[in-house]
């Protein structure tokens, strides 16, 4: 009688099937939009840059950062130039729509392939946290600039 076969504490012998893929997790377009809404276009650019580098499109990262910085600067200039009666919500919506359209244009097809291949996505809570960190950083930077130039 074989001791290993009669051992009730031995782990069962079974073939394990791998259900995960070797692809790195990506941010969804909704995550890019959420980060942009909470944390300016810079947060959305951070997530887009992450995805583009993992998708092998690192040559487009500089363009994404340029677009997001331009959107932020245009909004800040308009905030200082326009009267206070002008609501800020349309500018936030315009930034949000621009970043979502940029994300769809750059990686929608690759994200569909990622989903079909069983790839996973990073949490939108993580995207929201990144957006909050960018909000704090931009607010601190603006406060420092206002204090230095005593505006």
């Amino acid at each position: 009688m074989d001791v290993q076969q009669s051992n009730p504490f031995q782990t069962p012998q079974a073939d394990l099937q791998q259900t995960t893929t070797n692809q790195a997790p990506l941010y969804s377009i909704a995550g890019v939009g959420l980060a942009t809404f909470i944390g300016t276009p810079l947060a959305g650019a951070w997530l887009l840059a992450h995805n583009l580098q993992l998708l092998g499109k690192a040559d487009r990262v500089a363009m994404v950062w340029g677009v997001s910085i331009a959107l932020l600067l245009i909004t800040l200039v308009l905030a200082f130039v326009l009267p206070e009666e002008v609501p800020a919500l349309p500018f936030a919506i315009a930034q949000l729509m621009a970043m979502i359209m940029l994300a769809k244009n750059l990686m929608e097809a690759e994200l569909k392939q990622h989903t079909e291949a069983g790839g996973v996505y990073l949490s939108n809570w993580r995207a929201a946290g990144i957006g909050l960190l960018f909000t704090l950083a931009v607010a601190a930077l603006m406060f420092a600039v206002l204090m230095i130039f005593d505006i």
Side-chain angles (χ1 to χ4, degrees):
M1 179 166 174
D2 189 13
V3 177
Q4 286 184 346
Q5 289 181 353
S6 64
N7 184 359
F9 301 108
Q10 181 181 1
T11 58
Q13 300 296 323
D15 293 331
L16 300 177
Q17 296 178 352
Q18 296 290 338
T19 59
T20 60
T21 63
N22 58 357
Q23 298 175 348
L26 300 173
Y27 289 102
S28 65
I29 293 176
V32 172
L34 180 62
T36 300
F37 184 73
I38 294 173
T40 73
L42 298 179
W46 179 275
L47 302 186
L48 273 173
H50 172 269
N51 280 2
L52 290 173
Q53 288 176 347
L54 291 177
L55 292 172
K57 295 183 173 184
D59 57 323
R60 298 182 181 187
V61 171
M63 184 264 304
V64 167
W65 280 109
V67 168
S68 67
I69 290 171
L71 283 171
L72 181 64
L73 289 177
I74 289 169
T75 304
L76 289 176
V77 167
L78 288 175
F80 283 112
V81 172
L82 293 175
E84 290 184 21
E85 296 84 29
V86 176
L89 187 60
F91 299 109
I93 292 172
Q95 288 179 352
L96 176 64
M97 296 307 295
M99 289 302 289
I100 288 174
M101 288 173 27
L102 181 64
K104 282 185 177 183
N105 187 17
L106 289 176
M107 60 183 190
E108 186 173 30
E110 287 84 0
L111 291 180
K112 284 183 182 180
Q113 290 175 353
H114 181 74
T115 302
E116 291 170 358
V120 295
Y121 289 93
L122 294 168
S123 170
N124 285 344
W125 284 106
R126 183 173 174 166
I130 291 170
L132 183 61
L133 289 175
F134 270 90
T135 296
L136 294 174
V138 169
L141 181 64
M142 288 178 60
F143 180 75
V145 167
L146 291 175
M147 292 312 248
I148 290 173
F149 293 114
D150 197 29
I151 298 175

